[in-house]
């Protein structure tokens, strides 16, 4: 059956209806995100953690952030993987459904920013599908594509480490999605001003 026909009378969860209603106004912030995942396949892999920071008026708003470890015990158990990462993490630990709901509430209609953002979006969309929701509606910007546009390079992709080196952003011992999100936010501010994005 056609997907759109299936969804005509679909009853979405309340948090999703609330999210959709936010698109009646123009976004007033960017949300820089990074996900840590169990692999690169949105169909069979899952999100292990999400880190995000808001950017408003050319500033990273540290207190406007989101960070969570997703409890994916079933996935880890089914695949014989260690859950050491989850146990050792000091971040808030939430079930996937609760984490996604809180993240969507936090995100609102903001413009998403990330490094190879399409992958993060596909992983989030796969999680949302498990919750009987639609797909993210947010506009999105990718810092790799922004850099390539700025330098007119079309035949190469740049890693987060490459871009950090180019813009002299000090490396931390990055080991969390929030630390990566903060690095992406710093890069975004540099690229945003050079590209004249408001």
């Amino acid at each position: 059956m056609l997907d759109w026909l299936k969804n005509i009378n679909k009853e979405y969860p309340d948090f999703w209806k609330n999210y959709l209603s936010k698109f009646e106004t123009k976004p007033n912030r960017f949300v820089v995100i990074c996900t840590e995942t169990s692999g690169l396949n949105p169909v069979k892999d899952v999100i292990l953690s999400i880190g995000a920071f808001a950017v408003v008026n050319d500033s990273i708003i540290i207190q406007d952030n989101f960070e969570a470890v997703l409890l994916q015990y079933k996935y880890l158990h089914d695949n014989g993987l260690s859950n050491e990462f989850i146990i050792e993490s000091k971040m808030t630990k939430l079930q996937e459904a609760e984490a996604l709901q809180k993240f969507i509430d936090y995100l609102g209609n903001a413009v998403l920013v990330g490094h190879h953002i399409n992958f993060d979006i596909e992983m989030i969309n796969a999680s949302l599908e498990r919750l009987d929701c639609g797909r993210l509606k947010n506009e999105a910007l990718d810092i790799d594509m922004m850099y390539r546009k700025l330098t007119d390079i079309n035949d190469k992709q740049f890693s987060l480490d490459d871009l950090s080196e180019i813009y002299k952003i000090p490396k931390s011992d990055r080991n969390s999605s929030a630390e990566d999100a903060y690095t992406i936010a710093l890069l975004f501010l540099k690229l945003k001003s050079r590209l004249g994005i408001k």
Side-chain angles (χ1 to χ4, degrees):
M1 185 182 272
L2 296 170
D3 279 349
W4 65 269
L5 199 56
K6 258 193 320 199
N7 292 331
I8 285 178
N9 293 319
K10 190 169 184 171
E11 190 55 35
Y12 289 119
D14 285 343
F15 83 90
W16 189 252
K17 289 184 202 164
N18 183 38
Y19 164 74
L20 294 176
S21 73
K22 293 180 179 171
F23 287 86
E24 291 161 16
T25 58
K26 208 169 170 250
N28 62 358
R29 67 184 187 143
F30 297 90
V31 167
V32 181
I33 68 163
C34 182
T35 59
E36 297 288 333
T37 63
S38 59
L40 299 174
N41 183 336
V43 176
K44 40 177 229 233
D45 287 307
V46 292
I47 298 171
L48 300 174
S49 71
I50 302 173
F53 288 97
V55 170
V56 179
N57 298 332
D58 299 328
S59 297
I60 300 168
I61 313 300
I62 298 297
Q63 64 272 28
D64 187 355
N65 71 75
F66 180 89
E67 190 175 21
V69 167
L70 281 64
L71 298 172
Q72 301 284 14
Y73 292 129
K74 181 177 177 355
Y75 176 87
L76 295 169
H77 178 267
D78 290 353
N79 290 280
L81 300 171
S82 162
N83 62 2
E84 198 175 327
F85 159 77
I86 290 171
I87 293 163
E88 288 183 358
S89 174
K90 303 210 179 351
M91 289 195 283
T92 307
K93 297 172 181 81
L94 303 169
Q95 297 293 336
E96 183 181 69
E98 188 184 359
L100 260 289
Q101 184 171 337
K102 285 183 184 300
F103 176 69
I104 293 299
D105 289 344
Y106 165 77
L107 177 62
N109 69 349
V111 176
L112 275 168
V113 178
H115 180 260
H116 300 154
I117 189 78
N118 286 344
F119 173 72
D120 296 299
I121 290 171
E122 282 312 307
M123 291 300 293
I124 292 167
N125 282 336
S127 299
L128 288 168
E129 199 172 299
R130 290 191 283 277
L131 300 179
D132 285 329
C133 297
R135 298 169 65 79
L136 287 175
K137 288 176 53 95
N138 306 69
E139 290 178 52
L141 294 169
D142 186 308
I143 61 162
D144 178 42
M145 290 172 89
M146 290 170 72
Y147 178 72
R148 286 159 48 200
K149 179 177 175 148
L150 185 69
T151 55
D152 206 21
I153 297 171
N154 296 317
D155 57 348
K156 183 179 182 211
Q157 289 195 338
F158 294 85
S159 71
L160 199 49
D161 285 342
D162 292 339
L163 294 173
S164 297
E165 211 167 283
I166 291 164
Y167 285 104
K168 314 246 179 304
I169 291 175
K171 283 189 181 131
S172 67
D173 301 331
R174 289 195 335 256
N175 61 1
S176 82
S177 50
E179 287 167 329
D180 281 352
Y182 186 72
T183 300
I184 294 167
L186 292 171
L187 287 163
F188 174 61
L189 287 177
K190 291 180 178 291
L191 290 162
K192 178 178 177 292
S193 69
R194 286 168 174 81
L195 288 166
I197 294 170
K198 295 287 174 227

